[in-house]
Amino acid sequence: MYRYDEFDARFVRERTEQFRFQVERRLKGELTEDQFKPLRLMNGLYLQLHAYMLRIAVPYGTLSARQFRKLAEIARKYDKGYGHFTTRQNMQFNWPALKDVPDILGELATVEMHCIQTSGNCIRNVTADHFAGAAADEIEDPRPVAELIRQWSSLHPEFSFLPRKFKIAVIAAREDRAALRYHDAAVEIVKNAEGRTGYRVWVGGGMGRTPYLGYVVGDFVEKPDLLGFLEAIMRVYNENGRRDNLFKARIKILAHSLGETEMRERVLREFKEIKAAGYLQVPEAERARIAAYFAPPEFETLTDEPLPTDGDLGRWIANNVAPHKQPGYAIATISLKPIGGVPGDINADQLDGVAQLMDDFGLTEIRASHEQNLVLPHVRQKDLPAVFARLTALGLATPNAGLITDIICCPGLDYCDLANARSIPIAQEIAKRFADLERQEDIGELKIKMSGCINACGHHHAGHIGILGVDKKGVEYYQLLLGGSAAEDASIGEIMGPGFGEHEIVDAVDRVVEAYRKLRQPGERFLDTYRRLGMEPFKNVAYGEQLHAAH
Amino acid sequence: MVQMLTANRLIDGRVLYWKEGGWVETLEDAERFTDTAAAEAALTAAKDFVARNLVVNPYLFEIKDGRPVKEREIIRAAGPSVRTDLGKQADHV
Amino acid sequence: MPLIRNGAVAEDTYVTVADDAALPDGAVIVSLKRFRAERSDLLARNHALGVVLTSDQSPETLGPDLDRLSVVVLEFPKFRDGRPFSWARLLRTRLKFTGEIRARGDFLYDQIAYLKRVGVDAFELPPAITPELFARALSEMTNVYQPSADGRETISALRG
């Protein structure tokens, strides 16, 4: 994984001191809250319902055992013994005191971590495919590109006060595990007809109040031109994005009001100017320097063996283990969705335990996924039983990756100042309802994603089944959306109709899922059946009507 | 209408409630305003604490039958409903 | 309000003139609106001339007249409005403007280093920012990751 050199290290140290001075001035009253807020947000610090919340950057979701141990230490020393993995591959602590945050940043800097641009109206922490470097279907590891973008966007002098936040994702595989088309901009590493590698660049995706899927604005951007091309997008956005209405300020609104043709023309015009000036070419040497850090570990020469299929281990392997590009290796997902638990939460002992597991099995890195799980990218197949046993002891062996209880869920009104409704308790109830593993496996891939407000941190628009919490005169209601997808077949979920009460929503989901089981054709996922039949049959049962025996 | 006044402490973000010209940490100890004018006066007084950089974002919220009307305030007063071992609800035990 | 020019406190030799006020002798700064209305008169004067761009006015609208100006003032209506950062960058990098680019209005201490990087070389300091603080703002971050209008070597270049 990427290692800081003296420049990166100094940068993060100085950024910490810069923030320390900002906090100092705030506490002395030299900055008002109105002035301080955008500054603290640019360093990942929110004020939530109960306390401050600090969001730590995990660039493209990659972490080391050493970093896990530091997170555990911070959780114990400055927080309440746990942290939370977000839908943007970051980690949040829910209880730090403002006065301690500079010291926390200092601790993070010792393990090459920071909170730079994990919030604010700037270019946010860059995300990537959590199977990067291990997936069988990738052209190359997308993380060197993500790292290049991370560095370029860090404290960008021109683009730190944008109309609104700006999220970039990078993938290099046919299968989209990073929700590409829901990002403000995205880079897809592709090969052209001549077999040369370059970038397809997308723009204008987003969730929130007005969801849009992004479209392609650069068909094939050559490698040295990437940052210049992104700068063109950023400048068009900074100059033209709306600043009069918070809800219309994202680039998706600009991109879709200008339209594809005009947006593309503006970006290309800007890019041409930038290219003519020639100052933002990325030399091959620099790309190679960064890429070298992401070289795969030295794989042993192994062969693929038949994996255990029996018992709990077999179950876990069937659901949580994915094929690796290297023979004899596997990708293992550590579910952070225990039945009845808080999706994405992990306690300090578990963080330490996973770090120890990594050391003991020679695993140099771990990933956080946007689905709020962890991924061990390079596990020897022969180690799977021992890894599983260790995870079981840590309470981290829930065999539900990609199944209906693997729910994406924002913190909601239990923590978040923006939320309108609670989301975690609903996720917990749904998980309990579908706890039976045989039923889960029979249902197959079904992604439930839930948000406690329209900001959509829980990606409800992209859920096969999405749930949106709303507040109706002080009472929590839950809207159902069907048919969303964040994968390569991206689509925006459709709202079913009036919301369900707190005590109705789980039954409604249950009825929709049972309708799917009755209506599906062989091999169809929930999403496929929905796409074939549309909303009607599901809507009918969700609101209580019996399913007609038409099939 | 019964109201209470709340804010967050600047230095650590903790939830505070207004009581007779100062702040307390629990809703149970907080002052209840039955008189709108008195509530508004307290809010005005609280702005002084904002100016002195002690609290942020003071506002009034409504109480009915001894409980906040909004779920948000119930949760702020207690702590996360999914972690009853944390927040003010944990301090009470 | 002290004016910082090229890093040092300097005398402001310009008078910013309201749209409806008579032009005094000497160097003046006027709004874009007034510049357009009285363009030939203003350019015919034998004095240095500056134009104020509000955050929604791109310097590209000045066209060739830019060469006749000594100062472009970029006005921040609110510090969160980040458009002037792009205007400064365009002035320096694309339009090759060599005159003074001056920041005015509601900008923060924490934006000074960014402003300098995009090409601003004169600052009308808000009351909260002393010249000492101004100097401190520029010393917070030693190195930079991305090229901008200030010609600083990026970290990637320093890595050699």
Side-chain angles (χ1 to χ4, degrees):
Chain A
M1 59 189 281
Y2 189 72
R3 295 302 313 265
Y4 284 8
D5 65 9
E6 59 188 301
F7 294 105
D8 301 310
R10 181 171 192 173
F11 188 89
V12 169
R13 268 201 320 272
E14 289 179 343
R15 178 69 182 101
T16 298
E17 291 314 302
Q18 189 177 52
F19 188 69
R20 192 183 295 281
F21 189 51
Q22 290 170 345
V23 171
E24 219 175 278
R25 284 182 291 142
R26 175 68 189 106
L27 292 175
K28 281 199 281 191
E30 291 166 14
L31 284 172
T32 64
E33 188 61 20
D34 184 49
Q35 293 169 330
F36 181 58
K37 189 176 169 184
L39 301 177
R40 67 166 157 76
L41 288 176
M42 264 187 261
N43 220 355
L45 188 64
Y46 288 73
L47 182 52
Q48 297 287 42
L49 285 189
H50 314 290
Y52 288 95
M53 178 272 276
L54 184 64
R55 185 180 293 152
I56 296 167
V58 182
Y60 34 87
T62 299
L63 288 152
S64 67
R66 185 162 158 253
Q67 291 173 329
F68 251 46
R69 288 200 171 90
K70 179 56 80 177
L71 293 174
E73 189 188 326
I74 290 169
R76 290 192 185 98
K77 186 168 171 189
Y78 298 98
D79 211 84
K80 294 186 186 285
Y82 71 106
H84 174 78
F85 280 103
T86 75
T87 52
R88 297 208 71 253
Q89 301 181 296
N90 292 321
M91 173 173 253
Q92 298 181 172
F93 286 119
N94 287 306
W95 305 89
L98 174 60
K99 63 180 173 55
D100 292 335
V101 173
D103 292 340
I104 298 174
L105 296 178
E107 300 253 11
L108 289 170
T110 65
V111 294
E112 306 180 2
M113 293 185 84
H114 58 75
C115 298
I116 297 170
Q117 288 161 218
T118 51
S119 179
N121 295 334
C122 48
I123 302 171
R124 297 289 188 87
N125 182 45
V126 182
T127 56
D129 185 347
H130 49 260
F131 284 179
D137 61 341
E138 80 182 7
I139 291 174
E140 61 180 42
D141 193 323
R143 292 173 301 161
V145 169
E147 173 60 23
L148 192 68
I149 297 171
R150 182 191 76 81
Q151 295 189 17
W152 162 77
S153 64
S154 291
L155 304 193
H156 198 292
E158 188 180 345
F159 306 129
S160 288
F161 293 88
L162 297 167
R164 200 71 179 85
K165 59 187 166 185
F166 201 94
K167 299 174 179 176
I168 302 176
V170 187
I171 72 165
R174 185 189 296 258
E175 200 178 317
D176 178 5
R177 287 170 287 259
L180 184 94
R181 295 191 67 191
Y182 275 107
H183 280 77
D184 296 282
V187 178
E188 185 183 3
I189 300 176
V190 292
K191 275 195 198 298
N192 69 1
E194 298 149 36
R196 202 162 66 250
T197 306
Y199 310 114
R200 183 181 292 144
V201 180
W202 301 71
V203 79
M207 300 196 190
R209 176 174 292 206
T210 325
Y212 281 110
L213 297 178
Y215 54 74
V216 175
V217 75
D219 300 299
F220 190 80
V221 177
E222 299 285 350
K223 283 197 160 185
D225 292 337
L226 179 65
L227 296 182
F229 198 85
L230 290 177
E231 183 170 289
I233 293 172
M234 298 313 301
R235 190 166 296 132
V236 167
Y237 174 49
N238 193 40
E239 291 179 4
N240 301 290
R242 284 183 63 171
R243 291 175 185 268
D244 59 329
N245 181 339
L246 193 67
F247 296 111
K248 298 192 170 170
R250 294 280 291 273
I251 197 173
K252 63 187 175 183
I253 303 293
L254 178 70
H256 291 270
S257 65
L258 288 180
E260 215 169 312
T261 312
E262 173 67 14
M263 184 72 185
R264 185 183 268 255
E265 205 167 284
R266 287 197 195 191
V267 170
L268 292 181
R269 196 163 59 216
E270 189 62 39
F271 176 56
K272 210 171 132 197
E273 294 274 6
I274 291 167
K275 212 175 161 179
Y279 54 83
L280 200 50
Q281 296 272 308
V282 186
E284 169 59 26
E286 176 64 1
R287 277 181 286 125
R289 188 193 76 86
I290 292 177
Y293 287 109
F294 295 94
E298 281 193 29
F299 292 120
E300 295 166 35
T301 310
L302 301 170
T303 49
D304 282 333
E305 304 288 339
L307 301 176
T309 53
D310 290 345
D312 293 344
L313 172 64
R315 273 281 177 61
W316 181 74
I317 287 175
N319 294 323
N320 290 36
V321 172
H324 197 282
K325 63 181 174 188
Q326 182 73 17
Y329 281 79
I331 305 170
T333 295
I334 301 175
S335 168
L336 297 181
K337 319 289 176 61
I339 304 300
V342 177
D345 274 13
I346 186 166
N347 67 40
D349 293 342
Q350 290 172 324
L351 285 164
D352 276 337
V354 171
Q356 193 58 48
L357 179 159
M358 290 169 68
D359 286 348
D360 293 347
F361 290 90
L363 307 172
T364 51
E365 56 178 80
I366 189 167
R367 313 281 172 73
S369 77
H370 87 271
E371 297 184 318
Q372 299 176 289
N373 291 319
L374 298 172
V375 174
L376 294 170
H378 310 297
V379 185
R380 283 182 296 249
Q381 290 174 3
K382 62 182 180 190
D383 290 337
L384 285 170
V387 167
F388 173 72
R390 198 74 82 77
L391 290 174
T392 304
L394 291 168
L396 291 172
T398 313
N400 63 349
L403 299 178
I404 189 168
T405 59
D406 182 3
I407 300 170
I408 288 187
C409 179
C410 75
L413 193 55
D414 280 298
Y415 291 97
C416 179
D417 190 42
L418 300 171
N420 295 320
R422 285 173 298 165
S423 46
I424 299 167
I426 303 300
Q428 291 174 326
E429 289 310 311
I430 293 173
K432 285 184 206 159
R433 175 69 64 92
F434 290 95
D436 179 68
L437 198 53
E438 263 175 51
R439 186 171 168 217
Q440 286 191 62
E441 287 170 345
D442 178 71
I443 294 164
E445 183 191 305
L446 202 167
K447 293 178 187 294
I448 297 187
K449 306 187 181 188
M450 175 160 33
S451 312
C453 79
I454 51 155
N455 289 304
C457 294
H459 296 188
H460 60 273
H461 300 294
H464 298 175
I465 296 179
I467 302 173
L468 168 64
V470 295
D471 173 289
K472 265 207 290 197
K473 295 181 180 157
V475 182
E476 294 161 298
Y477 276 87
Y478 297 89
Q479 288 186 342
L480 266 186
L481 297 87
L482 300 184
S485 169
E488 58 282 4
D489 60 351
S491 57
I492 298 170
E494 191 189 338
I495 297 174
M496 180 182 277
F500 297 87
E502 182 188 346
H503 302 291
E504 301 162 354
I505 181 69
V506 181
D507 286 334
V509 169
D510 199 335
R511 287 196 294 270
V512 165
V513 172
E514 283 313 305
Y516 151 70
R517 292 220 288 177
K518 293 198 181 81
L519 294 169
R520 69 183 164 188
Q521 291 177 352
E524 271 188 347
R525 303 170 299 163
F526 172 83
L527 186 61
D528 305 321
T529 306
Y530 172 82
R531 283 176 175 167
R532 181 169 54 83
L533 296 174
M535 180 65 84
E536 208 53 31
F538 298 102
K539 185 172 178 173
N540 288 342
V541 295
Y543 291 104
E545 277 184 41
Q546 292 301 311
L547 180 62
H548 302 296
H551 292 262
Chain B
M1 182 169 73
V2 185
Q3 293 184 97
M4 283 184 169
L5 174 58
T6 184
N8 289 77
R9 189 157 54 206
L10 175 67
I11 196 162
D12 59 7
R14 296 299 186 264
V15 176
L16 299 176
Y17 299 95
W18 184 263
K19 185 183 184 181
E20 296 161 6
W23 299 94
V24 293
E25 299 217 6
T26 65
L27 185 118
E28 291 74 28
D29 296 337
E31 190 173 346
R32 279 147 210 253
F33 301 102
T34 47
D35 173 38
T36 310
E40 292 296 334
L43 183 59
T44 305
K47 299 266 163 74
D48 182 51
F49 287 80
V50 175
R52 285 158 55 204
N53 306 296
L54 296 169
V55 305
V56 292
N57 191 28
Y59 61 90
L60 295 163
F61 65 92
E62 199 185 335
I63 296 278
K64 222 171 207 166
D65 307 323
R67 270 167 69 89
V69 171
K70 287 203 162 170
E71 191 67 37
R72 170 193 165 88
E73 294 308 326
I74 295 171
I75 291 170
R76 278 180 86 242
S81 71
V82 293
R83 285 297 300 266
T84 50
D85 56 326
L86 301 176
K88 294 180 189 296
Q89 58 200 349
D91 303 336
H92 287 191
V93 184
Chain C
M1 164 184 358
L3 177 74
I4 299 274
R5 186 182 282 139
N6 295 321
V9 179
E11 192 197 342
D12 189 356
T13 49
Y14 290 80
V15 177
T16 297
V17 187
D19 283 354
D20 54 358
L23 289 177
D25 263 353
V28 294
I29 293 171
V30 297
S31 72
L32 180 63
K33 185 177 160 210
R34 182 161 188 173
F35 175 72
R36 281 179 174 155
E38 303 172 24
R39 179 180 169 278
S40 44
D41 289 351
L42 284 163
L43 291 175
R45 283 162 48 100
N46 242 344
H47 294 293
L49 178 64
V51 165
V52 180
L53 296 179
T54 55
S55 64
D56 57 350
Q57 293 169 333
S58 166
E60 287 183 296
T61 62
L62 288 164
D65 286 342
L66 188 61
D67 293 341
R68 316 274 300 265
L69 302 178
S70 315
V71 178
V72 173
V73 176
L74 299 175
E75 192 165 76
F76 279 81
K78 191 74 200 134
F79 72 88
R80 288 190 208 87
D81 185 342
R83 284 174 287 187
F85 293 97
S86 280
W87 304 147
R89 182 77 195 280
L90 281 188
L91 279 166
R92 288 286 185 239
T93 308
R94 183 160 314 159
L95 306 173
K96 311 288 182 207
F97 180 64
T98 54
E100 175 179 315
I101 303 178
R102 188 188 285 203
R104 170 183 289 177
D106 182 28
F107 61 88
L108 300 181
Y109 164 86
D110 310 88
Q111 294 175 307
I112 287 170
Y114 293 141
L115 286 166
K116 173 123 191 303
R117 291 218 61 213
V118 292
V120 172
D121 57 358
F123 300 79
E124 293 181 5
L125 292 187
I129 309 175
T130 61
E132 295 70 38
L133 271 176
F134 178 88
R136 189 192 192 285
L138 298 180
S139 72
E140 287 183 338
M141 302 298 299
T142 306
N143 295 306
V144 298
Y145 278 114
Q146 56 295 98
S148 191
D150 56 352
R152 279 169 80 180
E153 276 208 294
T154 62
I155 286 174
S156 132
L158 291 170
R159 279 168 180 150

